[in-house]
Amino acid sequence: MTMLSRLLRIVAQGVTALLILLIACFALTRLAYRNPAAMLAPLNATQESIDAITRALRLDDPWYLQLWYYLYRGPAVQGAPMGLFNWPPGLGYSFRRQAPVTDLIIERIPATLSLVAGAAVIWLALSILCGVWAARHQGRWQDRLSGALACITMSVPVLLSGILLSYVFFYQLTEAGWPIFPSSGYVPLRENPLEWARHLALPWFALALAEVGMFQRVVRGAVLDVATQDYIRTARAKGLRERRIWFDHALSAALNPVMTLGALEIGTLLGGAIVTETIFGIDGLGRLALSAALTGDFPVVIGTTVIAGLAIILSTGIGDLIIGWRERTGQATE
């Protein structure tokens, strides 16, 4: 399969998955919110106001027409056009927050991207180091210790790890006169990079630790699968250092399954971001989606779900492309 045909297949699969996600979102929100206009209206709103919201959002039209408006071009509500084919894409209007959904997402997406990206770097780095270390010392105490730590981290949910990290590294250190880490909040990167990292350090580790346990065992298994190949024995016979053999040769050849699972785990990170943002008071997409779900603000629910689904589709597609490129250039095997 050529890279172009692979790219076209990935795009077709991504568009199909996004369309299925949209249909599912519309169906579930219509089932969950039987009278969405009343939920979106301000408190003590009159029936005329509720009817106006119904007409503005075309909620009295069949669901498939509403889906078409969402995809192509729907009614402009409070000056905010609807339609994913617009630029920037119109994701609807939130009467609860009196703002276009696209603006709400753009305002909060830097915090979530910073959280997920930083956690992913820590998660991948720790997983690769621990996984290769365990594979290199297979059956010895290092391998057993790595397995025990993996079981512990996999057993601790993000909620508990976030609370424990906050208690130890914020509360206890602050009580001891070392206020190194803040308890909550978010500082944009462009304003102060040091404060940005200081505010996100605990959320990064809280979110990353939940994934390290499982992923480092995947890395260990993938590396051990190729450790007995001829090119590994040849590299050792040439007198190469063990560290180079394990990281440059064994790990490089074992990256395909690691990258495939890693792309899928981005979705798990996004799910964990909801809890992490709530614990550490980060005003990101996770808190926005949770608040919208609790208050019945279904345009925001659908909009944030679409963005999360798009992120997962893009990450898996990019991973698939990289694997295809490695296969064609012969980097999947030595």
Side-chain angles (χ1 to χ4, degrees):
M1 180 183 294
T2 65
M3 288 300 295
L4 178 59
S5 60
R6 195 184 192 103
L7 176 62
L8 293 177
R9 178 180 59 81
I10 292 172
V11 170
Q13 290 176 346
V15 171
T16 303
L18 190 61
L19 183 59
I20 293 174
L21 177 64
L22 276 172
I23 294 174
C25 284
F26 266 85
L28 291 176
T29 52
R30 295 309 181 268
L31 290 174
Y33 310 126
R34 293 302 180 93
N35 192 3
M39 298 187 69
L40 293 175
L43 296 177
N44 301 322
T46 63
Q47 186 61 44
E48 288 76 11
S49 299
I50 296 175
D51 294 339
I53 293 176
T54 301
R55 290 191 298 271
L57 295 179
R58 304 285 181 88
L59 296 176
D60 49 351
D61 288 343
W63 70 269
Y64 52 85
L65 287 180
Q66 296 178 44
L67 178 60
W68 173 250
Y69 298 148
Y70 198 87
L71 286 173
Y72 182 60
R73 186 179 297 275
V77 182
Q78 302 288 345
M82 180 183 292
L84 292 179
F85 292 170
N86 292 325
W87 188 258
L91 297 172
Y93 186 84
S94 171
F95 282 91
R96 285 281 183 184
R97 298 175 180 269
Q98 294 294 304
V101 177
T102 303
D103 293 349
L104 294 173
I105 291 176
I106 291 175
E107 179 183 349
R108 288 162 177 79
I109 203 169
T112 300
L113 284 178
S114 298
L115 174 61
V116 173
V121 171
I122 295 173
W123 151 53
L124 289 172
L126 290 178
S127 297
I128 290 174
L129 289 175
C130 293
V132 175
W133 185 62
R136 183 177 175 181
H137 301 92
Q138 181 186 12
R140 298 160 64 181
W141 68 266
Q142 295 95 330
D143 190 15
R144 292 192 291 272
L145 175 62
S146 176
L149 292 176
C151 291
I152 294 173
T153 55
M154 284 190 292
S155 303
V156 178
V158 177
L159 176 63
L160 181 57
S161 63
I163 293 175
L164 290 175
L165 286 172
S166 182
Y167 175 76
V168 173
F169 292 99
F170 163 69
Y171 180 75
Q172 292 292 340
L173 287 181
T174 303
E175 286 288 306
W178 296 84
I180 300 175
F181 301 105
S183 62
S184 61
Y186 170 76
V187 176
L189 176 62
R190 64 179 181 276
E191 291 185 8
N192 191 323
L194 180 60
E195 287 298 312
W196 170 81
R198 199 168 74 90
H199 280 76
L200 286 174
L202 294 183
W204 280 340
F205 277 95
L207 188 56
L209 286 177
E211 301 297 321
V212 169
M214 182 271 294
F215 203 73
Q216 64 107 340
R217 304 310 288 175
V218 174
V219 174
R220 174 188 178 275
V223 170
L224 286 177
D225 284 342
V226 301
T228 57
Q229 299 295 322
D230 291 339
Y231 60 86
I232 299 294
R233 289 193 292 268
T234 302
R236 188 172 284 115
K238 291 180 179 179
L240 295 180
R241 297 179 61 182
E242 284 294 311
R243 181 177 300 177
R244 183 177 177 184
I245 292 173
W246 285 99
F247 281 94
D248 290 356
H249 295 271
L251 179 61
S252 176
L255 276 182
N256 280 6
V258 173
M259 291 172 58
T260 301
L261 183 60
L264 295 175
E265 286 299 302
I266 296 297
T268 306
L269 285 180
L270 289 172
I274 297 177
V275 179
T276 309
E277 289 177 359
T278 303
I279 295 173
F280 292 97
I282 300 173
D283 198 13
L285 287 182
R287 291 185 71 188
L288 176 66
L290 180 61
S291 174
L294 293 176
T295 59
D297 195 354
F298 74 89
V300 177
V301 172
I302 296 175
T304 51
T305 304
V306 168
I307 296 300
L310 185 61
I312 297 172
I313 291 171
L314 287 176
S315 63
T316 53
I318 292 172
D320 197 355
L321 282 176
I322 294 175
I323 290 173
W325 175 77
R326 284 169 50 81
E327 290 174 350
R328 287 184 60 82
T329 56
Q331 295 181 22
T333 58
E334 293 289 333

